[in-house]
Amino acid sequence: MADTSKSENPGSLRKSFLSLSLESTRKSYYPQLQKQLEAAKENELRLKVLLDNLPACVSFVDATEHYVFVNSRYVKKTGLEFNDIVGHSVEEILGTGNYSAIRDHIRAALDGKQIVIENTTGQNEETRWFETSYIPIINSQGNVTGFHIFEIDLTDKRKSEQEKEKLQ
């Protein structure tokens, strides 16, 4: 006597099971992932607001010396647009002469060393003082993935100190 019960194809049973399993997983984890994504977006927005309102030029440069991020003060200082900076190399944005002046600092940061320098631009009444920090970012494997440049304008402080010295 022949078996009259339908025998299911093992491949189609497996597909059904995987489909149900995937749907169940999506239903249970999707809301959680959505909340985490929304929280990450909120944190990113808070960080951007903070960085854009700091009294400093802030940028992040990757290991290939290309800008990944610049804050609004950095954009204003360069006179360029955000999208004209991000994705371009430091040398492209600063020019060969300015780049060669900071190349050693960049290389040191890419070697994992934090560098803090004080420099000036202009002369006499036009002189401006800056403190610039090159801060390497090192991943969990110990590799430098890039560095932050944090530049503070010290001009008002230095001029105030000069005036104080003159008065004394």
Side-chain angles (χ1 to χ4, degrees), residues 110-112 137-145:
L110 290 173
D111 285 340
I137 301 301
I138 301 170
N139 67 15
S140 60
Q141 290 81 34
N143 300 317
V144 176
T145 59

Side-chain angles (χ1 to χ4, degrees), residues 95-115:
T96 304
N98 290 329
Y99 174 77
S100 62
I102 64 168
R103 179 181 21 222
D104 290 342
H105 306 308
I106 289 173
R107 298 237 166 90
L110 290 173
D111 285 340
K113 298 177 186 104
Q114 181 168 332
I115 305 293

Side-chain angles (χ1 to χ4, degrees), residues 46-60:
R46 281 190 206 107
L47 185 59
K48 182 173 177 6
V49 168
L50 174 68
L51 290 171
D52 281 342
N53 288 288
L54 283 175
C57 292
V58 180
S59 61
F60 178 72

Side-chain angles (χ1 to χ4, degrees), residues 120-129 159 162:
T120 60
T121 61
Q123 294 179 345
N124 302 327
E125 297 298 315
E126 302 295 319
T127 301
R128 302 200 64 77
W129 288 265
K159 286 185 177 181
Q162 286 176 345

Side-chain angles (χ1 to χ4, degrees), residues 142-153:
N143 300 317
V144 176
T145 59
F147 57 94
H148 286 286
I149 302 173
F150 190 82
E151 182 177 79
I152 301 171
D153 188 335

